[in-house]
Amino acid sequence: LYAQILTATLLLSTLYLLFCSERVKFFPLRAIAVGIIVGASILVTPPIAMVLLSILVLTLVLRTLSLPAATTIAVTASLTITPWLVRNWIVFDRPLLAATGGITLLQGNSENSQPQIADPDISRYREAAKGLDAFESDRYYRNAAIEWMKDNPRLALTLYVRKVFQFFNFQEKYATPGAGNWSIELLMFVSYYPILILAILNFLLVRRWPLSRPETILFLAYLGGATSYAIFLVRLRYRI
């Protein structure tokens, strides 16, 4: 099952608690609640940590969040994910959140990778990783992706830029026959593009309609999400 719906719920809860007032003052219970939700979001979807970290930093830079509140959120989030890290350390001798980052990096950075292809063919790497445990195979996939990028720097850079733009697309291709259909693409188009167009118009007319601090943070965090996910594999469901 995909975790994006739960992740989106946790992310929206975080944003609500952060921005439900114009100025988030230091209320310990509120900061602790945000920290717990942030930690839970990272446990459910580890890559979202990059987006959440950027939001936290931006709230400090734009003085939307006080330093004590930000510290409480960071400490609480760290304590929330610590038991899982300890568990993996005991069981696998590695204090890691998950063993999926390597394969996602490889899917987005290999000879068969394309921005619009959601599940590129990496069968030869899977074959080579047979017999390895989850973390060893993850390390193999990660090293293979890094090696490909080192050997093809110009191609990797071009691919990265294309993946950033793909983040804002409404359709993607699947290697699996029958996956995806026109009705899903139509739903994605009519539900996403009007919001995206309004957001772009708001940004272009920012002198006439200035952005509030929370809106500025959301704009920058969303762009940060596009540039972060493009390092790995861009899937439209990651954008939810």
Side-chain angles (χ1 to χ4, degrees):
L1 295 177
Y2 297 136
Q4 272 63 45
I5 294 178
L6 176 56
T7 302
T9 302
L10 293 171
L11 178 60
L12 289 174
S13 299
T14 300
L15 296 175
Y16 174 76
L17 289 175
L18 283 176
F19 303 137
C20 60
S21 67
E22 185 65 23
R23 170 76 180 182
V24 179
K25 298 181 180 179
F26 180 58
F27 296 112
L29 291 179
R30 184 175 177 181
I32 290 172
V34 173
I36 293 174
I37 296 174
V38 167
S41 301
I42 295 172
L43 288 174
V44 173
T45 309
I48 204 173
M50 298 179 292
V51 177
L52 293 170
L53 179 60
S54 66
I55 291 175
L56 192 60
V57 171
L58 288 169
T59 55
L60 281 172
V61 172
L62 296 178
R63 299 180 181 180
T64 303
L65 193 67
S66 65
L67 181 58
T71 303
T72 302
I73 292 171
V75 171
T76 306
S78 299
L79 291 175
T80 301
I81 66 176
T82 294
W84 183 250
L85 294 175
V86 173
R87 178 263 182 192
N88 286 341
W89 198 352
I90 294 173
V91 176
F92 300 106
D93 293 325
R94 298 175 180 88
L96 301 175
L97 283 172
T100 57
I103 191 170
T104 306
L105 184 65
L106 180 61
Q107 286 176 320
N109 300 276
S110 63
E111 64 274 12
N112 293 323
S113 299
Q114 292 292 331
Q116 73 277 15
I117 297 180
D119 49 353
D121 180 19
I122 57 168
S123 56
R124 76 178 185 92
Y125 297 99
R126 292 184 185 274
E127 187 67 26
K130 282 185 176 180
L132 302 178
D133 65 32
F135 287 98
E136 289 174 342
S137 60
D138 185 67
R139 179 187 299 174
Y140 167 75
Y141 293 140
R142 182 175 64 252
N143 291 339
I146 293 173
E147 191 67 25
W148 181 84
M149 287 186 282
K150 287 182 178 178
D151 293 340
N152 305 274
R154 183 175 298 179
L155 183 58
L157 179 59
T158 303
L159 181 62
Y160 172 79
V161 174
R162 292 173 62 196
K163 285 189 288 184
V164 171
F165 283 99
Q166 173 64 19
F167 187 85
F168 304 97
N169 201 349
F170 69 96
Q171 57 183 178
E172 58 189 4
K173 298 179 181 178
Y174 300 87
T176 305
N181 56 66
W182 67 269
S183 60
I184 294 177
E185 294 178 353
L186 178 61
L187 179 61
M188 179 68 75
F189 182 89
V190 299
S191 62
Y192 176 61
Y193 271 52
I195 298 175
L196 181 61
I197 292 172
L198 289 175
I200 294 173
L201 289 175
N202 193 1
F203 182 77
L204 294 176
L205 300 174
V206 67
R207 290 188 177 181
R208 185 170 183 179
W209 293 298
L211 299 176
S212 65
R213 288 179 180 178
E215 288 174 333
T216 302
I217 292 171
L218 292 178
F219 262 107
L220 295 176
Y222 194 71
L223 292 175
T227 56
S228 298
Y229 276 114
I231 298 173
F232 299 89
L233 176 70
V234 175
R235 293 290 302 272
L236 297 190
R237 61 184 174 86
Y238 295 167
R239 194 174 62 200
I240 299 176

